[in-house]
Amino acid sequence: PSRSQTLRNRVLAALFVAVLVPLASPTGVRAQAASDANALVDQGVERRRAGDDEGALVLFTRAWEAGHAARARAQMALVEQALGHFVDAEAHLLEALAVVDDEWIQLRRADLALALEAIQLRLGYLEVRGGIDGADLRLDGRSVGTLPLDAPIRLAAGSYRMEVIARQHYPFTRQIVIVPEGTTRETVVITPTPSAPASEADPTARPPL
């Protein structure tokens, strides 16, 4: 055969092979992702049995990121409960329980609801009033919001060092206690420093004693 005919035959052969090789379907991709996520959850469960909750949380988180399966989210919540991360545990377990068409969740819904109840017994709310717009609210040195807050903050029960920091104002500091299943309410009054413009002063502030 001529050179052009040989080239034509090669092109036709390549096209024939391309037709025979199916492209990955979206369904196949999803099935593989679900399989990978389940394998990560199984590995995480084994880590928990071995006493490695931190390692298990890493695997459950990866499983959640791989497929957003309710089972992975629930397992995240249960290991967070064991680690004392009660705020995250509550949020993730509520998210898992909101899924109504997952067989794994349905079979364990009663047990998961009991776990949620136990988690919520460890939590309370902090409601902060007063202060000035834009002030930074910190608990134990960690920023948790900006005043005014849109809603009370969910926190694990216990004692915290609360600070409110605002530019050209004296810091407001107070030791607070979050009570289980309750709401701790704090009113913030912060005082402008002598160099602060009058427009930035807190109208409810009083001079430092």
Side-chain angles (χ1 to χ4, degrees):
S2 66
R3 183 177 178 183
S4 61
Q5 186 175 0
T6 299
L7 180 60
R8 177 174 175 274
N9 289 340
R10 288 178 179 175
V11 171
L12 289 174
L15 290 173
F16 181 71
V17 171
V19 169
L20 290 179
V21 178
L23 295 175
S25 68
T27 301
V29 171
R30 287 194 296 270
Q32 184 60 49
S35 176
D36 292 345
N38 284 331
L40 287 168
V41 171
D42 291 340
Q43 293 171 33
V45 170
E46 290 303 316
R47 287 283 184 91
R48 290 210 68 190
R49 287 173 179 161
D52 182 11
D53 286 338
E54 292 283 1
L57 181 56
V58 172
L59 290 168
F60 294 147
T61 303
R62 285 175 55 193
W64 165 254
E65 292 170 349
H68 284 195
R71 178 191 177 203
R73 206 54 152 173
Q75 292 287 8
M76 283 179 66
L78 295 175
V79 76
E80 286 164 343
Q81 177 187 13
L83 291 168
H85 305 165
F86 299 116
V87 175
D88 289 339
E90 179 191 40
H92 293 156
L93 197 47
L94 285 170
E95 187 175 343
L97 286 169
V99 178
V100 297
D101 58 354
D102 184 280
E103 183 179 359
W104 191 92
I105 295 292
Q106 292 291 27
L107 289 173
R108 297 161 179 82
R109 185 170 293 277
D111 291 336
L112 294 173
L114 287 175
L116 177 62
E117 184 178 338
I119 290 167
Q120 291 176 330
L121 289 173
R122 303 291 195 100
L123 296 172
Y125 288 99
L126 171 63
E127 183 180 305
V128 178
R129 303 170 179 174
I132 61 171
D133 290 0
D136 183 29
L137 175 63
R138 302 178 187 178
L139 296 175
D140 292 342
R142 181 174 63 91
S143 179
V144 296
T146 301
L147 299 184
L149 299 177
D150 295 331
I153 300 174
R154 194 69 156 148
L155 294 169
S159 178
Y160 296 85
R161 182 173 184 266
M162 186 180 91
E163 297 174 279
V164 178
I165 308 297
R167 178 174 168 270
Q168 294 186 318
H169 288 74
Y170 293 107
F172 175 93
T173 303
R174 179 172 295 174
Q175 199 71 21
I176 64 169
V177 175
I178 302 300
V179 295
E181 299 186 278
T183 299
T184 299
R185 295 180 174 87
E186 294 291 337
T187 299
V188 174
V189 178
I190 56 178
T191 305
T193 59
S195 60
S199 61
E200 295 192 13
D202 181 350
T204 64
R206 57 178 181 270
L209 300 177

